[in-house]
Amino acid sequence: MKIIIPMAGMGKRMRPHTLTIPKPLIPIAGKPMVQRIVEDITKVCDEKVDEIAYVIGRFGKQVEDDLVKVAEKLGAKGTIHYQDEPLGTAHAIMCAKSALTGKVVVAFADTLFKADFKLDSSKEGIIWVQKVDDPKPFGVVKIDKDNVITDFVEKPQEFISDLAIIGIYYFKDGEYLKKELQYLLDNNIKEKGEFQLTNALENMKKKGTKFVPGKVTEWLDCGNKDATVHTNQRILEFIKGNGELMSKTYNAQNSTIIQPCFIGENVKLVNSQVGPYASIGDNCVVENSTVKNVIVQTNTKIINADLANSMLGNFVEFYGKSSDASIGDYTVIKN
């Protein structure tokens, strides 16, 4: 089994946080988003994952090394592939075409999920979906009485289905998928200016491939700051009580931690109330402050502050009050 993670996008809706690191490396409950994705997928796979192929932009050697380590921790080989032009989902997958062999899971790296199923690798193809209130912004599927997908529709403006594609796919035959994706590229078949995976899925379906829907318990978006803060809250709720959330090296002086929270290594809390739903990264200081429902990365100081529903990057200094801060690395804010 192989996993392909397309993650070359610029993450513009997550700026300023994505000016210094790619969005999938932003921490959620103390772990990079992409690490949580691959951990969750390997848990539901019914056989060993031997390669995790990352499709990235030119993010630098440190990012690449970190991604390879994530794969190695899960007992898989990590490989790096580049997508230098944003030419669509089909093109992104083909940038890792060497990994399109045998059984393949493709997971786009801006979605997390909660699931209580095992992937049935005997199926020809599985498209994970979630019922949504407003399907217009999403690709959706229609299914028949036998639970087989009959149609793929991109961003329907009239109601066709409320089963939104969440960006995770399983293919029993990676070589067949590669052939269909190559056909799109060779014949310059685009939709809205890009090579789309859904076009290849449609062609495979017409040739007899039976795709079935996979369903998750909860689908969590990380498209912008507010969605990511909410996702951090939900992940903390899912894994509360897990020993991985609280480091053994934090120091709390006259402070209260309201669970669930993530507290990283060498964090110092002084005269403060932290939580619920706070993720505080390594080497941070929180002093004379109230902090809840936030993601704080590393080496950041929060002093004399009241902070909620916010994201702070690395090496930030924040003083004052905010319920909607989104602050990038190496920034000082005094309200």
Side-chain angles (χ1 to χ4, degrees):
M1 184 83 73
K2 294 178 172 60
I3 301 174
I4 297 176
I5 308 285
M7 49 178 285
M10 297 295 290
K12 291 180 180 178
R13 291 189 298 149
M14 282 290 287
R15 288 182 176 174
H17 306 284
T18 51
L19 292 172
T20 49
I21 59 169
K23 182 170 71 172
L25 287 183
I26 289 173
I28 303 292
K31 283 185 183 179
M33 192 186 306
V34 68
Q35 182 174 348
R36 291 207 172 275
I37 293 167
V38 296
E39 285 180 353
D40 288 345
I41 292 171
T42 53
K43 284 175 189 173
V44 304
C45 287
D46 60 358
E47 55 187 79
K48 185 179 183 302
V49 173
D50 50 35
E51 180 181 354
I52 300 172
Y54 304 97
V55 180
I56 66 173
R58 304 287 171 167
F59 295 145
K61 185 176 184 302
Q62 185 61 57
V63 168
E64 294 174 16
D65 290 347
D66 290 346
L67 291 171
V68 169
K69 286 175 185 174
V70 167
E72 290 174 346
K73 284 180 183 177
L74 295 167
K77 177 176 71 171
T79 58
I80 302 296
H81 311 264
Y82 301 105
Q83 184 186 28
D84 291 322
E85 295 181 84
L87 296 178
T89 53
H91 177 264
I93 297 165
M94 280 297 282
C95 291
K97 61 184 178 182
S98 62
L100 284 169
T101 60
K103 298 173 181 177
V104 177
V105 174
V106 175
F108 289 87
D110 57 357
T111 187
L112 294 173
F113 64 92
K114 183 184 180 187
D116 54 5
F117 62 86
K118 278 289 182 185
L119 186 155
D120 182 357
S121 62
S122 68
K123 301 294 187 185
E124 292 181 90
I126 304 171
I127 315 295
W128 273 271
V129 298
Q130 173 79 331
K131 189 172 284 193
V132 294
D133 294 331
D134 179 12
K136 290 179 183 177
F138 305 103
V140 300
V141 301
K142 289 179 68 176
I143 57 175
D144 65 15
K145 59 182 176 56
D146 298 317
N147 201 41
V148 174
I149 293 173
T150 61
D151 293 283
F152 301 97
V153 182
E154 193 66 34
K155 298 181 180 178
Q157 295 310 295
E158 296 182 1
F159 183 84
I160 292 170
S161 166
D162 57 4
L163 295 176
I165 299 170
I166 71 169
I168 305 172
Y169 310 79
Y170 165 73
F171 303 91
K172 189 174 183 180
D173 186 347
E175 287 91 346
Y176 181 31
L177 173 63
K178 178 164 60 175
K179 179 182 174 183
E180 291 297 331
L181 295 174
Q182 190 65 55
Y183 177 81
L184 299 180
L185 300 182
D186 289 345
N187 292 279
N188 200 33
I189 298 172
K190 295 181 178 179
E191 191 168 318
K192 297 177 182 175
E194 295 185 337
F195 298 104
Q196 300 290 358
L197 173 59
T198 46
N199 288 64
L201 299 178
E202 186 64 36
N203 290 339
M204 293 167 76
K205 178 178 68 66
K206 287 177 179 176
K207 294 176 181 177
T209 300
K210 289 188 176 180
F211 290 104
V212 298
K215 295 186 179 178
V216 295
T217 308
E218 190 162 350
W219 174 28
L220 298 164
D221 178 37
C222 297
N224 56 39
K225 185 271 289 181
D226 285 342
T228 303
V229 169
H230 174 71
T231 291
N232 181 71
Q233 180 187 104
R234 297 300 298 145
I235 294 294
L236 286 171
E237 190 65 39
F238 297 159
I239 61 177
K240 63 184 178 183
N242 187 327
E244 71 179 66
L245 288 177
M246 304 292 290
S247 77
K248 293 181 171 58
T249 59
Y250 80 88
N251 180 7
Q253 302 172 19
N254 192 34
S255 296
T256 302
I257 299 172
I258 303 173
Q259 299 291 357
C261 287
F262 167 80
I263 307 293
E265 300 291 340
N266 303 311
V267 168
K268 186 176 181 182
L269 309 177
V270 181
N271 300 326
S272 294
Q273 179 175 297
V274 174
Y277 307 118
S279 289
I280 310 294
D282 296 350
N283 306 310
C284 288
V285 175
V286 181
E287 188 171 325
N288 299 325
S289 298
T290 300
V291 178
K292 62 183 178 182
N293 199 31
V294 298
I295 299 171
V296 180
Q297 296 194 48
T298 65
N299 299 285
T300 284
K301 294 180 180 179
I302 301 170
I303 310 292
N304 300 325
D306 186 353
L307 187 66
N309 191 42
S310 297
M311 284 183 66
L312 274 59
N314 304 283
F315 297 95
V316 171
E317 293 184 27
F318 182 87
Y319 305 77
K321 182 175 183 178
S322 179
S323 59
D324 195 26
S326 186
I327 301 168
D329 295 354
Y330 299 98
T331 304
V332 177
I333 299 291
K334 294 186 177 182
N335 291 325

